[in-house]
Amino acid sequence: MLVTLPNQFKTAINKMPFNVTVKKNAIKIYAALYSKSHLKNSTGFFPVPSAYLAAVNKRYYKILDYFVERGLIDYYKKAYTDDKDIFNTIYRKSYNKELGICAKYRFLVNVEVGDEVNVDMVSNRTNRWWNITENSLIEAGFDVKISRDDFGRRVWHSAIRNYKTDFQGYYTIDSQCSQPRLLYKYFKDKGINDPEYMRIFNNELDFYSEVAKKLDFTGTKESKRADAKDLFMHWINGNGYVPDFEIHNLFPIASKYLKSIKKGNYKSGGSLLQRIESKIWIDDLLTNIPCDFALPVHDSVIVKEKDVDRVLEYCKAKYPEIRFKKALLK
């Protein structure tokens, strides 16, 4: 990887009180940060997953601390009241493993000026999801443009906008009632037991239809289901407002949990589900998919007709609690 290495970093790395191997690893950690800096927000902070840094070097945190001490980088921090002195404010690095929110960093020196250095970034981190997306785009005749957002770790690529028309004759494999079921799986894995929420999925009932029935929605079957889906999205993504407040009484424990994770940022509910979704679809299913052509579309994947049944069975075997289905694009 070709990176620009500013003199400040060059000097600091040379002065590290460690051996040459550690100094070389420090260059790699700098390069890892540099490679993610294009994701920076308006205040200069950009997300860097710890798994990525650990794949570059397991003791990455010591190198980061060294860079911080030398005034070269900074962590994104949040303010907290000191438990021992309520009049004192302390600042801690902000991240949340449970919600999949990684730490953010920013450079405190200009990284656009310096020497160009070619850094060997060989690591144990698997990127097959990227490779298969790249190769599939090339095969389908699209420019290779692939990115992954920080909010939900979703993958975006150059074929995603018009995939329904551009890939007619191909198949999609997606999941039914995706986000409510993912939340059920998350609650189950975490040992969070909301009786009514769990009852719906434990009994293989249709989530939206059950919500509509329990909350006495009126209208056609389709309209009631659509209203229930809209209510769920407000419940997950909203800042307090929901079209029907009774959902909080229907799912009291789930509502309380969602309120707790939204305390710092109301968007954390939506971010959580998208990250769970991406971990399943991108980091697992796409990374290990048993075919050579596959393009991700959030909670689904596009495959060829000759591969669809094999991939469908693969998905079902991997995640039996998720209801997968195939559909022809036409």
Side-chain angles (χ1 to χ4, degrees), residues 12-30:
I13 291 171
N14 275 326
K15 289 184 177 180
M16 291 180 80
F18 307 112
N19 59 32
V20 173
T21 300
V22 176
K23 292 178 180 180
K24 287 182 177 179
N25 287 331
I27 297 174
K28 290 183 179 182
I29 293 300
Y30 165 78

Side-chain angles (χ1 to χ4, degrees), residues 168-185:
Q168 289 182 6
Y170 288 73
Y171 278 79
T172 59
I173 293 174
D174 62 9
S175 55
Q176 297 173 301
C177 204
S178 175
Q179 292 212 337
R181 188 171 287 277
L182 288 179
L183 187 60
Y184 162 74
K185 182 180 184 303

Side-chain angles (χ1 to χ4, degrees), residues 81-144:
T81 300
D82 191 339
D83 293 336
K84 298 179 181 178
D85 181 359
I86 63 170
F87 300 102
N88 184 42
T89 300
I90 56 178
Y91 294 87
R92 299 184 188 132
K93 183 165 66 170
S94 178
Y95 64 95
N96 191 314
K97 286 185 178 180
E98 183 179 355
L99 300 182
I101 299 173
C102 61
K104 296 180 178 67
Y105 308 86
R106 69 176 172 186
F107 288 117
L108 299 179
V109 299
N110 185 0
V111 295
E112 296 179 1
V113 178
D115 296 332
E116 285 197 343
V117 179
N118 195 8
V119 183
D120 179 10
M121 291 295 289
V122 175
S123 75
N124 295 321
R125 187 174 173 83
T126 176
N127 282 316
R128 184 171 182 257
W129 69 263
W130 178 287
N131 294 333
I132 199 167
T133 302
E134 179 182 41
N135 293 336
S136 299
L137 287 172
I138 293 171
E139 182 178 334
F142 287 87
D143 292 337
V144 177

Side-chain angles (χ1 to χ4, degrees), residues 19 27 32 130-131 144 166-167 177 192 198 264 273 286 321 328:
N19 59 32
I27 297 174
W130 178 287
N131 294 333
V144 177
D166 291 337
F167 289 92
C177 204
I192 299 168
M198 306 307 277
L273 287 189
L286 185 59
E321 66 272 39
L328 175 66

Side-chain angles (χ1 to χ4, degrees), residues 41-99:
N41 59 21
S42 58
T43 57
F45 286 101
F46 50 90
V48 186
S50 59
Y52 174 56
L53 293 170
V56 175
N57 185 262
K58 289 183 179 180
R59 297 184 178 180
Y60 69 91
Y61 49 90
K62 291 188 175 182
I63 295 170
L64 291 179
D65 287 343
Y66 179 81
F67 288 162
V68 170
E69 290 169 5
R70 295 302 180 277
L72 301 174
I73 66 170
D74 192 16
Y75 302 106
Y76 176 67
K77 309 178 189 72
K78 281 190 175 181
Y80 298 88
T81 300
D82 191 339
D83 293 336
K84 298 179 181 178
D85 181 359
I86 63 170
F87 300 102
N88 184 42
T89 300
I90 56 178
Y91 294 87
R92 299 184 188 132
K93 183 165 66 170
S94 178
Y95 64 95
N96 191 314
K97 286 185 178 180
E98 183 179 355
L99 300 182

Side-chain angles (χ1 to χ4, degrees), residues 31-49:
L33 296 175
Y34 183 90
S35 71
K36 299 293 183 182
S37 61
H38 68 283
L39 300 172
K40 65 184 178 183
N41 59 21
S42 58
T43 57
F45 286 101
F46 50 90
V48 186

